[in-house]
Amino acid sequence: MKLKLLLFLAVPFFIACNSNVTKGGLKQDERAAEAVGGWLYYYSMNKNYDSIYNLMGDDYFAKSSKEKLKNYLLEKEAKLGEIKTFEIKDWQKNTSTDESNADAHYVLKYNVEYANGKSEEILYLSKEGKDLKITDYKVIAAGL
């Protein structure tokens, strides 16, 4: 009887521990991805555009240049104004079921309020080594 009681209590414990490891890994990934987005908006709000280059991945600069990125950010600010608020709207991780997959891709969608309007902004991130880097950045806003 004691063995059955022990098994009855132990099995849910081990299932819960395994579930927490998986969810913890996802939460850690989510926090890391959101931190990259947070830094992007922090640097933008402080007009520290040169620091944004460090957030961008090799894939981004394979399609564009630092000058084009800076011009785009300046043009966006000229039309939309300064950032007032930003909040994450959606978060996705695209990968296989293997949590240790180094080729994981992340998509973060933000609602951003500017002085002259609002936008939906999408950040695409991938792991480069141990770091998450932005591989694409899209702004959907009227007049941009």
Side-chain angles (χ1 to χ4, degrees):
M1 181 67 171
K2 288 183 182 179
L3 181 60
K4 286 183 181 179
L5 180 60
L6 181 63
L7 286 174
F8 179 74
L9 295 174
V11 169
F13 172 77
F14 288 114
I15 291 172
C17 287
N18 187 36
S19 175
N20 285 339
V21 168
T22 301
K23 289 179 183 173
L26 288 174
K27 281 293 185 192
Q28 185 177 6
D29 287 345
E30 183 177 356
R31 285 190 297 270
E34 287 179 13
V36 172
W39 282 112
L40 172 72
Y41 293 112
Y42 174 80
Y43 292 142
S44 293
M45 291 169 86
N46 289 295
K47 299 177 184 6
N48 189 356
Y49 302 113
D50 292 340
S51 293
I52 293 174
Y53 304 147
N54 297 325
L55 302 174
M56 310 311 276
D58 294 336
D59 286 349
Y60 184 86
F61 289 120
K63 297 179 271 183
S64 188
S65 67
K66 291 180 180 181
E67 295 79 24
K68 285 182 183 179
L69 174 60
K70 188 170 186 176
N71 288 337
Y72 180 73
L73 295 169
L74 291 170
E75 178 185 339
K76 179 183 71 159
E77 184 179 334
K79 291 182 180 180
L80 297 175
E82 293 186 7
I83 296 173
K84 297 295 181 188
T85 63
F86 64 93
E87 72 175 322
I88 194 155
K89 177 177 137 179
D90 191 21
W91 180 92
Q92 297 174 355
K93 179 180 181 182
N94 303 320
T95 186
S96 68
T97 56
D98 179 11
E99 285 297 313
S100 64
N101 186 349
D103 294 329
H105 302 282
Y106 307 84
V107 179
L108 287 86
K109 295 181 181 177
Y110 286 88
N111 287 329
V112 184
E113 183 179 346
Y114 291 89
N116 302 329
K118 295 181 180 184
S119 72
E120 177 180 275
E121 302 189 10
I122 305 169
L123 300 179
Y124 298 87
L125 299 99
S126 293
K127 284 190 176 181
E128 285 186 10
K130 293 183 179 183
D131 296 328
L132 285 175
K133 298 289 186 169
I134 299 170
T135 57
D136 201 2
Y137 173 51
K138 296 185 180 181
V139 178
I140 303 165
L144 188 62

